[in-house]
Amino acid sequence: AMAAVSTSASGPTSWAAQADAADKLRRLAKEEAAAAEAAARKRRREETYAGYRSYVQLPNRYKEIADFLSRGRGYASLAMIGSRFKVKRKELATHGFLFSPADRHGQSYIAPPEEDNSQNEGGEGPLK
């Protein structure tokens, strides 16, 4: 009769404890991925912004997409935007939209171009 009783070191509650631990790990991994994505977005924005057009210069179709992104979280999946607005990544890239690196599912996220105030406010920042 003793053979049926669990003899593992973690005891009879191990299944629930393992499930909880797995959930915590998944949550942590998701938070880390989101933080890494945000950092990558910021880095990419800083690296590539110089060569891109500003929001002000966007044609209406792309302003509509930028406005849509700004109303939400400030970014959305490329698949969703592409499908909703019938637009390709290349078109968005030429209009200054910013992309995250692909996640482990191959999905990229897109953010609108920067709103450009820096050029019309003459040298207020440090010039060194």
Side-chain angles (χ1 to χ4, degrees):
M2 289 300 281
V5 175
S6 171
T7 56
S8 73
S10 49
T13 57
S14 66
W15 181 249
Q18 284 175 358
D20 275 353
D23 282 347
K24 281 182 186 155
L25 279 175
R26 257 186 241 105
R27 232 186 346 269
L28 276 174
K30 216 179 250 182
E31 288 168 11
E32 268 183 45
E37 185 182 298
R41 243 194 338 272
K42 184 176 181 188
R43 196 167 47 251
R44 178 168 281 107
R45 184 168 40 239
E46 289 165 356
E47 287 169 4
T48 58
Y49 172 56
Y52 283 139
R53 299 180 189 181
S54 69
Y55 172 83
V56 182
Q57 297 168 299
L58 284 178
N60 284 345
R61 176 175 188 218
Y62 299 99
K63 272 192 178 146
E64 192 182 329
I65 298 169
D67 292 342
F68 174 81
L69 290 167
S70 299
R71 279 196 302 272
R73 295 177 293 193
Y75 67 94
S77 78
L78 183 57
M80 193 269 277
I81 294 299
S83 145
R84 184 181 189 119
F85 292 97
K86 305 291 178 252
V87 67
K88 300 241 182 268
R89 179 186 185 114
K90 203 174 203 176
E91 292 173 70
L92 294 169
T94 59
H95 287 89
F97 285 81
L98 309 165
F99 299 90
S100 73
D103 65 16
R104 63 193 168 123
H105 305 292
Q107 183 59 256
S108 277
Y109 292 84
I110 177 175
E114 289 289 298
E115 299 212 14
D116 184 20
N117 300 322
S118 60
Q119 291 175 353
N120 19 11
E121 297 171 7
E124 289 176 12
L127 294 172
K128 290 192 176 182

